[in-house]
Amino acid sequence: MKIGFIGLGIMGKPMAINLAKSGHELFVSDHHEEHIKAVEAVGGHGADTDTIAKEAEVVITMLPNSPQVKEVMLGKGGLAEKMHAGQVFIDCSSISPIASQEVAEALSAKGIEMLDAPVSGGEPKAIDGSLSFMVGGKKEVFEKYKSLLEAMGSSVVWCGAVGAGNTTKLANQVIVASNIAAVAEGFMLAKMAGVDPNTVYQAIRGGLAGSTVMDAKGPMMLSGNTDPGFRIDLHIKDLNNAIEAAHACGAPLPLTAEVMEMMQFLHAHDCGKLDHSALARYYEHLTGEKLSEKD
């Protein structure tokens, strides 16, 4: 299958590499030439958007946020002007479901189908091809291209109409953010009460408090590793979209709003580019205690 892929960042580059390795003919576009070369090294082709719109059966984007997706698709000279009926657009970016619906409506007028298919799993799972896809769009379009997404992920779930994928992703990000904050809070309680947080982690990880989030982010907090798998600034973006979507439908998000304030504090203190496990630093600031000797 001929595929166009736009956006080769932390997530997009390994996703595109996995598509190329799976045997698809891949045309890629990005602002960074070295990212394009990395995909070319496994059989992809660097291309401009004109070529992508002409050659690709499916166009995939993996971009930072709603404005970038709308600009690439609907802006002056954007892909919506160049694509034709019968093509399919799959947006893997994590954006506002409202924006997804706006793009889908514009593309529908040209006979172009759309799936919003944001992912969860971070860079490690993008690299090993085990991402989780949450997909919105027509069921028959989803079924036709499910195997394409499976080249990049181990879980591909249809969630409903266009926008449902990003709504599901926002729910995911709300739960992840609150969970990370709770892990940091619990570890700090242990530290200040004189109990080794590493021991607490080992004792509780197999019980009801255990979670994928705790196993992924707890050791990072305890070792002082803040290398970004998913940056605080990106999680702020997602929580902004979650709060916007919540306001549109009247859903209460009090926990999300509190964690957003924690992340905004960290952003203001030059921690925005750190992994979101650095939420632990918020508690370190409040208490003056350190969870890791490395901090």
Side-chain angles (χ1 to χ4, degrees), residues 158-172:
W158 181 70
C159 302
V162 169
N166 271 304
T167 299
T168 303
K169 176 59 186 289
L170 293 181
N172 179 86

Side-chain angles (χ1 to χ4, degrees), residues 175-191 196-202 204 209 211-230 232 235 259 262-263 266 274-284 289-295:
I175 293 166
V176 168
S178 300
N179 202 339
I180 293 173
V183 170
E185 191 165 296
F187 285 175
M188 186 57 75
L189 166 64
K191 178 67 179 284
D196 181 6
N198 289 278
T199 301
V200 171
Y201 169 59
Q202 294 300 331
I204 68 175
S211 67
T212 300
V213 168
M214 179 184 284
D215 281 341
K217 303 302 176 179
M220 294 182 71
M221 296 178 190
L222 298 173
S223 68
N225 177 13
T226 57
D227 293 341
F230 193 82
I232 284 173
H235 215 135
V259 178
M262 298 178 191
M263 290 186 173
L266 292 169
L274 303 182
D275 185 79
H276 50 182
S277 61
L279 267 172
R281 292 196 174 184
Y282 178 79
Y283 291 92
E284 292 176 343
E289 294 283 348
K290 299 292 185 182
L291 288 177
S292 166
E293 295 300 321
K294 181 178 176 181
D295 288 334

Side-chain angles (χ1 to χ4, degrees), residues 33-51:
E33 186 65 28
E34 65 272 22
H35 295 177
I36 294 173
K37 289 186 181 301
V39 181
E40 288 178 333
V42 294
H45 311 281
D48 57 25
T49 55
D50 287 344
T51 302

Side-chain angles (χ1 to χ4, degrees), residues 117-199:
V119 302
S120 178
E123 184 182 14
K125 289 185 178 293
I127 291 171
D128 68 20
S130 62
L131 290 167
S132 295
F133 284 85
M134 298 147 272
V135 189
K138 292 179 181 177
K139 185 68 177 292
E140 60 270 25
V141 179
F142 166 78
E143 293 292 351
K144 183 175 181 179
Y145 295 101
K146 181 180 180 183
S147 62
L148 176 63
L149 299 178
E150 287 174 336
M152 301 176 284
S154 58
S155 172
V156 182
V157 177
W158 181 70
C159 302
V162 169
N166 271 304
T167 299
T168 303
K169 176 59 186 289
L170 293 181
N172 179 86
Q173 294 303 82
V174 163
I175 293 166
V176 168
S178 300
N179 202 339
I180 293 173
V183 170
E185 191 165 296
F187 285 175
M188 186 57 75
L189 166 64
K191 178 67 179 284
M192 296 186 71
V195 180
D196 181 6
N198 289 278
T199 301

